[in-house]
């Protein structure tokens, strides 16, 4: 139906600034080429197209980063970001502060450690992908803390529960590093955070942490990826309208979930028919950010409600006119106001 | 016939002209930069001129329409799956950072005519190799032909070591110059109006192959801030345990003492290193040992340093061959360079490759194989192999040529070889690279110049690089392939160099540990695998020693980054030829075969390909051609 296609396109273009439209459309078109109807994924082309940046110890804009393999058996790598004085000096001069940081004793002043899981619907991107490197740098600046971005294994090559396993490994690693401890009580002040699939991972890792008695300061979820077999109202209403279609959502779930599973698998639908309620569990506090033009917004709102019903603290930030990916570019009020909310949440729960 | 050339002490003359070129290029860069790149998207890895933003948005829309996407009911309802699949599978993508060109190239795919049939020319006459300077009826010893054994499954369909003939069709015309012609941008089939492809971003089309004409006189910054602070300093932390950190601290402190010429402090520190190193295992222990030894040499001024003598050439080649076996870096280098050469040679009937460092000639069997298998048959192939003088009885340079000639004979490729002995590449003159004889009726030969880990050595002699690049320009090659270590081990202070190389070689050695357990798919006895790794460590150890303990003309391991080479080559009249997604995919496939571990990673960066370990690129392949005057 060409007419309504055009209407959709114009509505979408009208809803976002041109940079956002260009960026997200570029992803949409590229990703469309990568998903094959038979469920396989063109990983080589995906890696070729992915725009990455190296870590930089030189601290451009006051944030220094370096990569570290935290589990040699799986090759699980993280990128660690921290504030540092910007440095024009040579390699030695930028390396020494990192060594000092790693060898340092716990800091008396508390700082947050944000364990970040990038988005990409379980299949795309990496901790080195430019959009996520950029976001992590932003988080360092607003949190005055350390960000640990986890390069988890992706679908369809690595299905459930690999991403969750990697998240758990990263959490245990972070909890055990002396240089990530701070405050008078010298403990790690860890927040779990992620967008899209990263938000989903953050939730499941937080559940496991609660089960294990590991204390998390808070969860920060941006357009967390959830689903279910039934279609919700927003899914029907917004299908294909703002960069995302139900067809692609279904593809990614099929690529991540076990082969015989449907979308009521608890990974996808944590409070659904096969899910598990969290009443009585020492589950952490959540800051849940939802875009009104994300076709799965109903699911995210239901998730937030589910947590609240079970007695857990939720701060919900609902941006009615925001699309997916608004947090990747600093060109909207959505971006700036949400970053404020995140900063407030971090401060309040440190 | 062997030719030897004494160093004629070239100097001065070429510097003036290349300086002029530098100034012209700089002026050009200034003009280009007036059209500003959008900063917001640049920070995210995409280079779009601010003035092009609306145009790019429009092109994205057109592409979306062409792909039949975005309708209610999902993409499937109206999606043009054939077109999407074509874009994914058959199309070669180049330089995705240049969003405008990338989208444009995909739009052009919509209207590309059916590929032309390959020319029905008869196969080139199969001359015996007797015209070669190599064979004169001499019996060739088959001993040691092992390096030319291709991996077991070497038939064209199944081998991934052998280069596949490129999927896009051979250009119909035999006239080499036509491959550079730019076609008119096509009108869009769907949507209103014509494509407003700005002339600067239109692509030349070859039935699916497109090239973004990116000419960069200055290294591009992927982050706006990076330009202010200089290139990124990657630091891969090997160990967050206290002992590991103390070791690195001691190494850096010792290097700093050396830099400050505080040799008593340096002496005290260098003695601590072996004990600290012994607390480590694996790669870190070995790296620390090599760096510690190199520091000691510098502190105590041992002479001579291991690889400064030309007598070492045979040893160097030997270690190089083991390095080739034990890890994929050299295989990747050869593979990606060969891919670019193969594409540049498309449609050419006479080709000439100049190898600036032939060693055992490991790069060439695969290229010969690919040429033999290409549609329309192989060209006649000439190889000039440059090597250093030998001080023993063997004529290694000629032996390499003999073996390659034998191999070429078995796969029916007309082959000629010339060995050139040169103590330094700066001794080469254009006439040495011209064909012998005076056969004006023959089609002019199309030339590829190939340099794997050779250019950085020239930086030890002022003026040498410029001289060599001038020689290269003079022979007017179709393509120049360059492989170099992706690191800055040349500029800055000694301490900076020490630190950068410490990070670099730590990563290198780490990758060898990962690869140590399994070698290539060749059947080799387990001992060989272990030997390869040890020899590779020695090979790298010699580089470490050179970087740390040598200075001046002796310090030949002057590695520089892609960004730095881009400047140097751009200033000398070359422009990039982008390596595309086809080369990327094939390189990735090659890596997957390698038993060494999942840590190896191919990346695309501004049209070049790098191979690294985890997120740290370690070597980079780039391709170049003469810039339009």
């Amino acid at each position: 139906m060409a007419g309504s296609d055009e209407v959709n396109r114009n509505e979408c273009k009208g809803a976002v600034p041109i940079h956002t439209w260009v960026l997200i459309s570029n992803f949409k078109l590229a990703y469309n080429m990568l998903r094959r109807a038979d469920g396989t994924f063109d990983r080589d082309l995906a890696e070729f197209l992915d725009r990455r940046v190296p870590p930089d110890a030189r601290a451009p804009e006051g944030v220094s980063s370096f990569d570290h393999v935290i589990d040699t058996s799986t090759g699980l790598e993280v990128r660690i970001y921290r504030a540092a004085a910007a440095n024009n000096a040579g390699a030695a001069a930028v390396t020494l502060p990192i060594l000092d940081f790693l060898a340092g004793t716990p800091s008396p002043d508390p700082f947050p450690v944000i364990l970040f899981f990038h988005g990409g619907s379980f299949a795309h991107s990496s901790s080195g992908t430019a959009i996520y490197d950029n976001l992590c740098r932003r988080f360092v600046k607003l949190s005055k803390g350390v960000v640990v971005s986890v390069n988890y294994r992706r679908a369809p090559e690595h299905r459930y529960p690999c991403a969750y396993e990697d998240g758990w490994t990263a959490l245990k690693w972070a909890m055990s590093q002396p240089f990530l401890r701070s405050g008078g009580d010298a403990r790690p002040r860890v927040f779990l955070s992620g967008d899209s699939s990263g938000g989903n991972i953050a939730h499941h890792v937080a559940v496991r942490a609660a089960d294990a008695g590991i204390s998390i300061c808070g969860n920060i979820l941006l357009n967390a990826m959830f689903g279910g077999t039934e279609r919700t109202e927003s899914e029907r209403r917004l299908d294909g309208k703002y960069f995302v279609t139900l067809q692609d959502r279904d593809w990614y779930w099929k690529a991540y979930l076990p082969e015989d599973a449907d979308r009521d698998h608890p990974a996808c639908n944590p409070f659904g028919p096969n899910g598990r309620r969290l009443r009585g569990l020492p589950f952490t506090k959540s800051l849940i950010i939802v875009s009104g033009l994300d076709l799965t917004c109903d699911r995210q709102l239901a998730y937030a409600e589910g947590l609240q019903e079970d007695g857990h603290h939720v701060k919900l930030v609902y941006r009615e006119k925001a699309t997916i990916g608004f947090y990747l570019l600093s060109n909207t009020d959505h971006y700036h106001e949400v970053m404020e909310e995140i900063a407030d949440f971090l401060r309040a729960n440190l | 016939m062997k030719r030897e050339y004494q160093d004629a002490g070239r100097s001065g003359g070429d510097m003036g002209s290349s300086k002029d070129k530098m100034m012209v290029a700089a002026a050009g860069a200034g003009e280009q930069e007036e059209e500003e790149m959008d900063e917001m998207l640049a920070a995210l890895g995409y280079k779009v001129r601010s003035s092009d933003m609306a145009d790019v948005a429009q092109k994205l829309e057109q592409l979306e329409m062409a792909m039949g996407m975005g309708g209610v009911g999902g993409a499937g309802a109206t999606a043009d799956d054939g077109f999407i699949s074509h874009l994914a599978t058959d199309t070669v993508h180049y330089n995705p950072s240049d969003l405008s060109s990338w989208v444009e190239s995909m739009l052009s795919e919509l209207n590309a005519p059916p590929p032309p049939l390959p020319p029905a020319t008869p196969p080139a006459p199969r001359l015996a190799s007797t015209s070669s300077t190599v064979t004169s009826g001499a019996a060739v010893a088959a001993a040691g032909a092992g390096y030319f054994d291709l991996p077991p499954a070497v038939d064209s369909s199944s081998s991934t070591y052998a280069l596949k003939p490129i999927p896009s069709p051979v250009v119909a015309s035999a006239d080499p110059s036509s491959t550079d012609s730019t076609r008119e941008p096509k009108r869009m089939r769907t949507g209103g109006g014509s494509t407003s492809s700005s002339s600067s971003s239109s692509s030349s089309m070859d039935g699916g192959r497109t090239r973004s004409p990116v000419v960069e006189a200055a290294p591009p910054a992927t982050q706006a801030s990076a330009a202010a602070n200089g290139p990124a300093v990657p630091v891969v932390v090997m160990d967050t345990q206290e002992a590991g950190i103390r070791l690195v601290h001691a190494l850096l402190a010792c290097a700093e003492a050396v830099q400050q010429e505080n040799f008593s402090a340096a002496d005290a520190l260098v003695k601590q290193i072996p004990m600290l190193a012994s607390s480590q295992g694996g790669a870190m222990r070995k790296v620390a040992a090599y760096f510690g030894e190199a520091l000691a040499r510098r502190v105590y001024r041992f002479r001579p340093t291991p690889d400064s003598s030309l007598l070492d050439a045979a040893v160097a080649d030997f270690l190089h061959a083991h390095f080739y076996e034990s890890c994929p870096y050299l295989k990747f280098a050869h593979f990606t360079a060969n891919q670019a050469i193969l594409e540049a040679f498309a449609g050419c009937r006479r080709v000439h490759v100049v190898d600036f460092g032939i060693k055992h000639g490991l790069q060439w069997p695969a290229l010969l194989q690919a040429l033999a298998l290409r549609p329309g048959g192989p060209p006649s192939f000439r190889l000039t192999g440059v090597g250093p003088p030998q001080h023993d009885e063997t004529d290694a340079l000629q032996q390499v040529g003999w073996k390659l000639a034998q191999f070429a004979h078995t796969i029916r490729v007309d082959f000629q070889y010339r060995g050139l002995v040169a103590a330094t590449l700066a001794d080469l003159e254009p006439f040495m690279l011209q064909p012998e004889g005076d056969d004006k009726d023959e089609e002019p030969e199309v030339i590829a110049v190939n340099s794997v880990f050779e250019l950085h050595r020239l930086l030890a002699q002022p003026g040498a690089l410029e001289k060599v690049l001038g020689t290269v320009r003079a022979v007017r090659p179709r393509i120049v392939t360059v492989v170099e270590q992706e690191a800055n081990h040349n500029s800055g202070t000694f301490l900076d160099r020490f630190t950068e190389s410490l990070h670099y070689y730590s990563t290198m050695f780490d990758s060898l540990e990962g690869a140590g357990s399994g070698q290539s798919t060749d059947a080799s006895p387990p001992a060989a695998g272990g030997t390869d790794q040890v020899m590779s460590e020695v090979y790298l150890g010699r580089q470490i020693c050179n970087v740390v303990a040598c200075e001046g003309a002796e310090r030949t391991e002057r590695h520089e980054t892609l960004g730095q080479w881009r400047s140097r080559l751009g200033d000398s009249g070359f422009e990039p030829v982008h390596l595309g997604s086809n080369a990327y995919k094939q390189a990735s496939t090659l890596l997957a075969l390698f038993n060494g571990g999942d840590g190896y990673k191919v990346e695309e960066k501004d049209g070049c390909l790098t191979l690294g370990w985890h997120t740290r690129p370690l070597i980079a392949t780039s391709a170049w051609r003469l810039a339009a005057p």
Side-chain angles (χ1 to χ4, degrees):
Chain A
M1 291 175 56
S4 71
D5 281 358
E6 200 172 325
V7 167
N8 288 338
R9 229 181 330 272
N10 288 335
E11 247 184 65
C12 182
K13 277 177 85 173
V16 293
I18 190 169
H19 286 75
T20 310
W21 199 88
V22 166
L23 182 71
I24 312 287
S25 295
N26 155 66
F27 290 144
K28 170 172 132 182
L29 294 178
Y31 293 179
N32 216 46
M33 287 193 284
L34 304 173
R35 299 187 300 267
R36 298 199 196 102
D38 63 357
T40 59
F41 188 75
D42 192 340
R43 179 61 65 192
D44 285 336
L45 185 58
E47 297 291 278
F48 179 81
L49 295 175
D50 193 26
R51 303 291 85 200
R52 301 220 168 131
V53 292
D56 194 351
R58 210 182 280 271
E61 293 179 357
V63 179
S64 164
S65 61
F66 65 95
D67 285 343
H68 182 51
V69 174
I70 62 173
D71 182 343
T72 46
S73 63
T74 54
L76 180 63
E77 193 156 25
V78 300
R79 183 166 293 185
I80 301 173
Y81 301 81
R82 42 184 273 282
N87 209 327
N88 250 333
V94 303
T95 301
L96 288 167
I98 292 180
L99 294 178
D100 290 341
F101 169 60
L102 295 174
T105 49
S107 149
D109 301 317
F111 64 83
V113 177
I114 302 174
L115 200 61
F116 180 77
F117 301 98
H118 66 81
S121 307
F122 294 103
H124 297 281
S125 292
S126 72
S127 53
T129 300
I131 48 173
Y132 290 114
D133 183 86
N134 210 46
L135 184 60
C136 287
R137 305 177 141 274
R138 180 69 196 197
F139 279 2
V140 169
K141 285 183 247 180
L142 64 82
S143 71
K144 313 277 192 285
V146 171
V147 175
V148 178
S149 182
V150 183
N151 205 33
Y152 58 89
R153 285 168 293 168
R154 297 164 302 184
E157 296 94 327
H158 300 105
R159 291 175 176 269
Y160 165 92
C162 291
Y164 302 155
E165 294 288 340
D166 289 349
W168 179 245
T169 303
L171 178 61
K172 283 191 301 177
W173 176 85
M175 298 299 290
S176 69
Q177 302 304 306
F179 58 88
L180 293 178
R181 292 166 184 267
S182 62
D185 50 354
R187 65 178 171 87
R189 296 160 140 79
V190 176
F191 291 80
L192 299 175
S193 177
D195 71 312
S196 168
S197 50
N200 177 290
I201 296 169
H203 163 77
H204 287 286
V205 172
V207 172
R208 195 165 170 183
D211 282 337
I214 293 177
S215 168
I216 304 286
C217 294
N219 269 12
I220 302 167
L221 270 46
L222 287 147
N223 292 343
M225 184 172 165
F226 295 115
T229 47
E230 269 185 47
R231 303 302 192 190
T232 64
E233 189 271 335
S234 65
E235 283 168 341
R236 283 193 297 270
R237 175 170 46 92
L238 296 172
D239 181 16
K241 294 225 163 120
Y242 296 96
F243 307 112
V244 184
T245 66
L246 277 175
Q247 193 190 44
D248 71 63
R249 296 295 95 203
D250 292 349
W251 190 98
Y252 290 114
W253 284 120
K254 222 165 142 58
Y256 176 66
L257 296 171
E259 303 213 5
D260 52 351
D262 66 13
R263 286 189 305 276
D264 283 332
H265 186 283
C268 175
N269 195 353
F271 300 148
N274 302 319
R276 168 195 165 192
R277 300 305 296 235
L278 303 181
R279 179 162 290 280
L281 194 71
F283 190 79
T284 188
K285 300 179 176 161
S286 301
L287 172 65
I288 298 176
I289 297 143
V290 182
S291 295
L293 299 181
D294 177 349
L295 82 171
T296 65
C297 60
D298 281 353
R299 299 231 165 253
Q300 296 165 46
L301 294 170
Y303 167 76
E305 252 182 65
L307 286 177
Q308 284 172 315
E309 281 167 13
D310 285 342
H312 299 298
H313 183 277
V314 170
K315 170 87 200 273
L316 177 67
V317 175
Y318 180 72
R319 307 295 304 193
E320 191 185 345
K321 302 255 177 59
T323 63
I324 55 151
F326 73 85
Y327 44 84
L328 300 176
L329 287 165
S330 57
N331 56 358
T332 58
D333 287 342
H334 300 302
Y335 175 89
H336 292 284
E337 288 168 23
V338 164
M339 290 300 153
E340 282 290 319
E341 295 277 7
I342 293 174
D344 290 344
F345 182 79
L346 289 165
R347 257 193 305 274
N349 294 292
L350 190 57
Chain B
M1 253 179 295
K2 206 162 59 166
R3 297 167 217 248
E4 278 191 63
Y5 302 97
Q6 300 302 315
D7 183 0
R10 302 277 163 191
S11 67
D14 288 339
M15 280 301 284
S17 57
S18 65
K19 242 192 209 148
D20 291 337
K21 277 206 157 55
M22 278 165 68
M23 291 180 64
V24 168
E31 276 172 41
Q32 281 201 326
E33 268 157 12
E34 275 171 29
E35 297 205 55
E36 266 179 36
M37 289 297 164
D38 179 84
E39 269 185 29
M40 226 187 303
L41 291 183
L44 305 182
Y46 296 100
K47 289 179 229 154
V48 180
R49 289 195 194 83
S50 305
S51 50
D52 281 347
M53 193 66 62
D55 181 57
V56 171
Q58 189 198 7
K59 283 186 210 169
L60 281 166
E61 221 181 322
Q62 286 167 337
L63 187 56
E64 187 183 332
M65 288 192 283
M67 288 167 93
M69 293 168 53
V72 174
T78 49
D80 186 346
D81 286 333
F83 179 52
I84 296 172
S85 164
H86 168 71
L87 284 179
T89 315
D90 305 324
T91 309
V92 180
H93 300 265
Y94 293 92
N95 198 5
S97 284
D98 184 351
L99 207 44
S100 180
S101 299
W102 181 60
V103 178
E104 173 87 46
S105 69
M106 288 192 286
L107 285 171
S108 303
E109 287 296 315
L110 262 185
N111 292 310
L117 296 172
T121 52
R126 310 264 179 231
L127 302 173
S129 308
T130 51
S131 58
S132 156
T133 54
V134 171
T135 63
S136 20
V140 178
Y147 291 124
F148 298 134
D149 293 342
L150 292 176
V154 81
D155 60 279
S156 61
S157 56
S158 65
S159 171
T160 48
Y161 277 104
L163 299 169
K164 294 196 171 27
I166 36 176
S168 46
V170 170
V171 173
S173 164
D175 174 7
S177 63
S178 75
T179 56
D180 291 334
S181 66
T182 307
R183 295 194 196 160
E184 303 293 341
K186 301 289 184 206
R187 295 209 167 266
M188 288 299 300
R189 181 178 66 206
T190 59
S194 55
T195 52
S196 55
S197 51
S198 51
S199 56
S200 59
S201 61
S202 68
S203 319
S204 69
M205 278 286 300
D206 281 313
R209 282 165 42 214
T210 61
R211 300 227 187 278
S212 305
V214 177
V215 180
E216 296 166 290
T222 50
Q223 295 181 15
S225 56
N229 280 349
V233 175
V235 170
V236 174
V237 170
M238 299 217 46
D239 186 4
T240 55
Q241 305 270 357
E242 207 189 321
I245 293 174
R246 271 194 290 137
L247 173 59
V248 176
H249 251 302
L251 286 164
L252 293 183
C254 184
E256 187 174 36
V258 165
Q259 170 155 298
Q260 290 163 352
E261 304 202 344
N262 182 351
F263 289 107
S264 59
D267 172 60
L269 285 160
V270 85
K271 288 178 169 134
Q272 289 178 19
I273 288 163
M275 197 193 62
L276 288 169
S278 67
S279 72
Q280 298 296 297
M284 200 56 220
R285 194 185 75 248
K286 296 172 193 177
V287 168
Y290 279 113
F291 275 89
E293 183 195 331
L295 277 169
R297 283 178 183 275
R298 195 177 179 109
V299 169
Y300 303 120
R301 298 189 213 274
F302 287 160
R303 287 282 181 275
T305 49
D307 69 340
S308 57
S309 163
L310 293 174
L311 287 170
D312 273 328
V315 176
D317 288 357
F318 168 81
L319 293 176
H320 183 96
H322 278 283
F323 184 66
Y324 178 86
E325 285 304 321
S326 76
C327 49
Y329 299 106
L330 280 178
K331 288 182 172 131
F332 168 83
H334 295 171
F335 185 86
T336 46
N338 283 348
Q339 186 68 30
I341 296 172
L342 189 65
E343 291 186 23
F345 282 172
C348 305
R349 306 290 338 159
R350 271 184 87 212
V351 303
H352 176 199
V353 172
V354 178
D355 186 353
F356 274 172
I358 185 121
K359 298 188 171 66
H360 292 184
L362 298 173
Q363 183 169 348
W364 306 116
L367 180 65
L368 288 167
Q369 179 86 21
L371 288 169
L373 294 171
R374 72 176 191 178
S380 59
F381 185 96
R382 187 159 84 86
L383 176 65
T384 299
V386 183
Q390 306 265 204
H391 290 249
D392 57 11
E393 294 301 309
T394 66
D395 190 348
L397 205 52
Q398 290 304 88
Q399 287 209 9
V400 168
W402 285 330
K403 286 181 189 163
L404 287 170
Q406 252 196 319
F407 176 74
H409 182 68
T410 63
I411 59 171
R412 305 198 204 299
V413 174
D414 174 42
F415 178 87
Q416 290 183 59
Y417 176 80
R418 175 190 296 167
L420 289 180
V421 178
T424 160
L425 292 173
D427 290 344
L428 294 176
E429 298 292 339
F431 76 86
M432 300 167 191
L433 304 177
Q434 303 301 349
E436 272 181 354
D438 220 18
D439 199 340
K440 295 272 195 279
D441 294 332
E442 289 220 41
E443 199 179 305
E445 52 178 29
V446 172
I447 301 175
V449 176
N450 181 80
S451 165
V452 175
F453 300 151
E454 293 292 340
L455 290 188
H456 64 259
R457 301 173 180 285
L458 298 171
L459 301 176
Q461 296 275 8
L465 177 70
E466 290 73 11
K467 165 84 188 326
V468 171
L469 293 180
T471 304
V472 172
R473 271 202 314 275
V475 301
R476 311 204 61 73
R478 176 68 58 87
I479 193 157
V480 180
T481 46
V482 175
V483 181
E484 284 289 331
Q485 290 88 345
E486 180 60 5
N488 181 2
H489 297 155
N490 195 23
S491 49
T493 63
F494 166 74
L495 182 56
D496 289 338
R497 198 162 85 231
F498 183 89
T499 314
E500 293 248 20
S501 56
L502 182 61
H503 294 318
Y504 180 85
Y505 286 103
S506 298
T507 310
M508 259 290 182
F509 271 72
D510 203 29
S511 76
L512 290 182
E513 282 311 290
S517 53
Q519 306 308 316
S520 67
T521 50
D522 294 343
S524 353
T531 307
D532 278 335
Q533 183 181 343
V534 169
M535 291 297 127
S536 300
E537 289 165 1
V538 173
Y539 170 86
L540 294 172
R542 285 154 63 98
Q543 291 180 12
I544 291 169
C545 202
N546 187 273
V547 172
V548 172
C550 296
E551 285 299 343
E554 273 182 354
R555 178 157 61 89
T556 53
E557 296 295 345
R558 292 179 180 257
H559 312 143
E560 291 194 345
T561 62
L562 253 185
Q564 290 167 296
W565 286 113
R566 216 188 288 279
S567 284
R568 291 185 182 280
L569 287 162
D571 293 345
S572 295
F574 294 91
E575 65 181 21
V577 173
H578 290 153
L579 304 173
S581 56
N582 54 346
Y584 180 95
K585 284 188 185 190
Q586 288 177 17
S588 292
T589 309
L590 179 90
L591 279 180
L593 278 190
F594 209 88
N595 286 345
D598 301 326
Y600 292 111
K601 197 82 189 59
V602 182
E603 284 189 14
E604 187 277 346
K605 180 78 189 250
D606 289 314
C608 305
L609 294 183
T610 64
L611 175 59
W613 180 250
H614 290 284
T615 59
R616 171 70 208 256
L618 293 170
I619 68 168
T621 302
S622 58
W624 306 84
R625 61 183 173 207
L626 297 172

